[in-house]
């Protein structure tokens, strides 16, 4: 069931990742990749957000009229395991209800490229979600981007901090594009309709 929030309240769409060029292509940074594409779509460029340790773009998505939504796109510039602090600061500054926060993140327990949209729930060992939940509770939306499990005996930490394999990169742009579509649909149409379209 969708949570009712004020229709004029902004949405905060957070791409999770680690700052710095050495992490840019990592599986763990797919949230940043989706946020970058969303920023491109609204015609904005990420800039430092006041005192918050984050970069933001403000814009609007959706057709003209009641479905048009004010959004703040954000990339925390702390490391992944400290994401909650910057997101909480933005939540307070922009007066965003928790139910209007969307975290876009990598998900180990879903096959590569598969999306799952949900509201609330656990963090499944994801340090970015763990930090956000500690900061303001679990009742925010998630766009979970499947990256699959590490092969063989590779450690999870090594796997998520590696770049996508060349075989995966062939489809990465398509999957990132689809995740951006899913985030937009979630904000414009609501969770249930977006799940019906994108939860494959």
């Amino acid at each position: 069931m969708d949570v009712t929030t004020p229709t004029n309240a902004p949405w905060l769409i957070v791409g999770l990742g680690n700052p710095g060029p050495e992490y840019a292509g990592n599986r763990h940074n797919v949230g940043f990749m989706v946020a970058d594409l969303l920023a491109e779509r609204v015609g904005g460029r990420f800039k430092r957000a006041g005192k918050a340790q984050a970069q933001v773009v403000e814009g609007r998505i959706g057709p003209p009229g009641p479905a048009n939504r004010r959004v703040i796109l954000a990339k925390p510039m702390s490391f992944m395991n400290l994401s909650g602090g910057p997101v909480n600061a933005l939540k307070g500054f922009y007066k965003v209800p928790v139910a209007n926060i969307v975290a876009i993140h990598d998900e180990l327990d879903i096959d590569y490229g598969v999306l799952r949209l949900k509201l609330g729930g656990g963090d499944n060992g994801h340090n970015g979600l763990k930090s956000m939940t500690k900061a303001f509770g679990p009742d925010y939306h998630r766009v979970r981007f499947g990256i699959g499990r590490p092969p063989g005996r590779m450690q999870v930490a090594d796997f998520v901090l590696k770049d996508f394999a060349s075989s995966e990169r062939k489809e990465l742009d398509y999957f990132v594009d689809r995740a951006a579509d899913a985030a937009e649909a979630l904000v414009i149409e609501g969770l249930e309709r977006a799940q019906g379209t994108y939860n494959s």
Side-chain angles (χ1 to χ4, degrees):
M1 199 172 73
D2 288 0
V3 172
T4 305
T5 54
T7 50
N8 59 348
W11 284 76
L12 176 58
I13 302 178
V14 181
L16 291 177
N18 284 309
E22 67 272 35
Y23 298 105
N26 289 181
R27 292 183 177 92
H28 222 19
N29 270 43
V30 75
F32 274 18
M33 297 174 197
V34 178
D36 285 337
L37 178 57
L38 286 166
E40 218 175 278
R41 290 182 181 185
V42 301
R45 297 183 69 164
F46 277 102
K47 311 192 275 288
R48 198 67 187 227
K51 292 180 181 174
Q53 208 181 349
Q55 291 184 351
V56 298
V57 170
E58 294 181 57
R60 302 193 78 87
I61 60 172
N68 193 258
R69 301 279 185 265
R70 180 180 169 221
V71 294
I72 297 97
L73 307 171
K75 296 193 295 186
M77 290 289 113
S78 60
F79 280 93
M80 180 71 88
N81 60 346
L82 299 171
S83 301
V87 178
N88 202 31
L90 295 172
K91 169 185 169 293
F93 181 77
Y94 289 104
K95 299 181 170 51
V96 179
V98 174
N100 276 26
I101 296 173
V102 181
I104 304 171
H105 64 92
D106 57 305
E107 178 62 63
L108 287 158
D109 283 342
I110 303 174
D111 289 341
Y112 174 60
V114 173
L115 297 176
R116 291 277 187 277
L117 279 60
K118 63 182 274 197
L119 172 66
D123 55 57
N124 205 19
H126 192 288
N127 288 330
L129 298 182
K130 198 176 291 184
S131 180
M132 286 176 62
T133 296
K134 189 176 175 188
F136 45 79
D139 298 326
Y140 52 92
H141 288 87
R142 298 104 191 272
V143 175
R144 304 158 75 207
F145 186 112
I147 59 168
R149 281 266 159 199
R153 296 186 176 184
M154 187 188 288
Q155 294 295 310
V156 164
D158 294 333
F159 179 69
V160 299
L161 292 175
K162 276 195 164 38
D163 287 4
F164 285 98
S166 55
S167 57
E168 293 171 324
R169 281 200 294 271
K170 289 173 188 162
E171 294 181 294
L172 183 59
D173 286 350
Y174 168 75
F175 289 141
V176 166
D177 195 64
R178 195 162 182 271
D181 290 347
E184 289 183 345
L186 170 57
V187 169
I188 297 163
E189 301 171 10
L191 178 62
E192 287 178 19
R193 285 190 66 180
Q195 282 175 325
T197 306
Y198 293 98
N199 279 20
S200 41

